[in-house]
Amino acid sequence: MFPDIFFQIKELYMQKPFKFKYKGMIGGEALEELIIEEYQYWSHIFNEGSFSNYVLCFSEEVDSLGQWVGYADNGKGCCLGISFDEIKNYCMDSNGVLKLEKVIYLEDEGIRKLTSDNAKMILSELKGLRKWIVKEITSDDNCDDTDGLLRFNFCGMLENVFLDSLLYKSYAFHSEREWRLFFATPPRKERLNTYGLKDTFTGKNDLEKRTLRFLCSKIDFQPTETDLISFCAIPFSDFETNPVKSLWIGPKNNINESDIDLYLKLNGYNETVVRFSTITYH
């Protein structure tokens, strides 16, 4: 969706322009200035990694060659069989902090149409937004506050579009039959930096406060040779019962059944079933 949504907004406006004002400019020039500012803002946000929903991905497809190759060290790894009901209940018990959604796969044309539809929706909102701001809030069409509120609302529209885009993926990956668990509202890392890792936060609303509190209690870091990657750890101990129902051994994994079965039992996974991939791997 990013950055194509910006190009679509500009192109659709040029096809059907309407009266628009921003920072003393009018028409296409005003809209282009607003787009440039927001493009630079979102580029910075995405590049620095402060806008994240910490997506956890699942698949309905257990034994798939494509996924063994792409996600399990070329078939040398393992696959955890997680209970869908346990994940769903965990999400429902999060008080709105987490969402569990099935991915929608779209062909290239479908992705273009989705982007275009979102651009049309945003333009429809922008069309009367400045007039509403002046009438209901600022009473001044020429003040900086009016421009600031216009941009603030435009930014919010874009954020909603980017959040919704988490539900979509190219049809080329449809065999994965993916589900995603993620934060309903993206926790901004700079807020954790501002308030510290403590249990008191201020936020735009109660959901943001609950999200920050949840992330604060579970954030962890994975160091690599060149990076430090933050992630939200969800330990199995958070679940009422063991969510790991099965463990699938990859087609190029050399672990023998007796050893992995003993390992699981020694670590308390007595009910976890061990299965081996039936994929023919050349």
Side-chain angles (χ1 to χ4, degrees):
M1 196 67 68
F2 177 87
D4 294 349
I5 186 72
F6 293 104
F7 304 136
Q8 279 288 312
I9 291 172
K10 182 178 178 180
E11 181 179 333
L12 290 170
Y13 178 82
M14 297 305 293
Q15 293 173 6
K16 296 183 69 174
F18 54 83
K19 184 179 179 181
F20 188 75
K21 180 179 178 180
Y22 183 65
K23 289 190 172 180
M25 294 171 276
I26 60 172
E29 182 185 18
L31 182 63
E32 180 152 2
E33 176 64 22
L34 180 61
I35 287 174
I36 289 172
E37 290 180 3
E38 281 302 301
Y39 175 81
Q40 292 173 342
Y41 168 77
W42 284 105
S43 294
H44 174 72
I45 290 294
F46 288 135
N47 288 336
E48 73 169 6
S50 64
F51 183 89
S52 175
N53 291 74
Y54 292 89
V55 180
L56 178 59
C57 302
F58 303 91
S59 171
E60 293 180 353
E61 192 64 37
V62 177
D63 194 17
S64 163
L65 176 60
Q67 296 197 79
W68 285 123
V69 172
Y71 304 119
D73 194 17
N74 200 27
K76 299 174 186 176
C78 299
C79 171
L80 297 179
I82 306 294
S83 166
F84 177 82
D85 287 339
E86 289 291 338
I87 297 296
K88 181 176 67 174
N89 291 337
Y90 186 81
C91 180
M92 292 175 63
D93 291 342
S94 71
N95 199 15
V97 169
L98 299 174
K99 293 181 71 174
L100 179 65
E101 299 285 351
K102 190 170 185 176
V103 168
I104 300 169
Y105 297 97
L106 297 176
E107 299 279 8
D108 290 346
E109 181 57 37
I111 293 174
R112 285 192 291 270
K113 184 179 184 304
L114 178 66
T115 304
S116 178
D117 289 345
N118 280 317
K120 290 176 183 176
M121 178 272 295
I122 289 176
L123 281 173
S124 177
E125 293 290 329
L126 280 178
K127 192 172 185 178
L129 180 58
R130 188 179 189 93
K131 183 177 180 180
W132 180 87
I133 291 171
V134 172
K135 179 181 178 182
E136 301 293 334
I137 304 176
T138 65
S139 301
D140 187 349
D141 188 44
N142 297 310
C143 70
D144 292 340
D145 285 346
T146 299
D147 288 329
L149 287 169
L150 181 68
R151 184 181 172 189
F152 174 80
N153 281 274
F154 183 52
C155 183
M157 297 175 203
L158 290 167
E159 180 171 316
N160 289 333
V161 167
F162 297 145
L163 288 176
D164 288 343
S165 69
L166 286 172
L167 303 180
Y168 300 95
K169 198 170 183 178
S170 169
Y171 190 77
F173 298 94
H174 76 281
S175 62
E176 294 179 353
R177 297 164 63 195
E178 184 178 343
W179 286 75
R180 291 176 174 176
L181 179 71
F182 53 91
F183 285 115
T185 186
R188 298 300 180 92
K189 296 174 188 175
E190 65 266 22
R191 291 189 180 275
L192 292 179
N193 292 336
T194 300
Y195 301 109
L197 298 181
K198 54 188 179 181
D199 196 41
T200 303
F201 299 98
T202 60
K204 293 183 293 185
N205 50 54
D206 288 339
L207 176 58
E208 185 178 46
K209 295 175 188 177
R210 294 196 301 272
T211 301
L212 289 169
R213 190 173 295 116
F214 185 96
L215 179 60
C216 171
S217 68
K218 298 183 182 300
I219 194 167
D220 206 340
F221 297 88
Q222 175 65 53
T224 70
E225 291 184 0
T226 60
D227 202 355
L228 184 65
I229 302 169
S230 68
F231 66 94
C232 181
I234 300 179
F236 293 147
S237 58
D238 279 4
F239 296 85
E240 293 184 5
T241 60
N242 171 29
V244 185
K245 302 306 180 185
S246 62
L247 176 65
W248 284 75
I249 309 301
K252 295 184 72 175
N253 190 308
N254 295 323
I255 296 175
N256 64 61
E257 186 171 1
S258 60
D259 284 340
I260 191 63
D261 191 54
L262 179 61
Y263 175 84
L264 289 171
K265 286 181 169 55
L266 286 174
N267 285 277
Y269 295 96
N270 299 309
E271 305 300 322
T272 301
V273 177
V274 177
R275 302 188 186 281
F276 287 80
S277 171
T278 60
I279 295 293
T280 301
Y281 209 102
H282 297 289

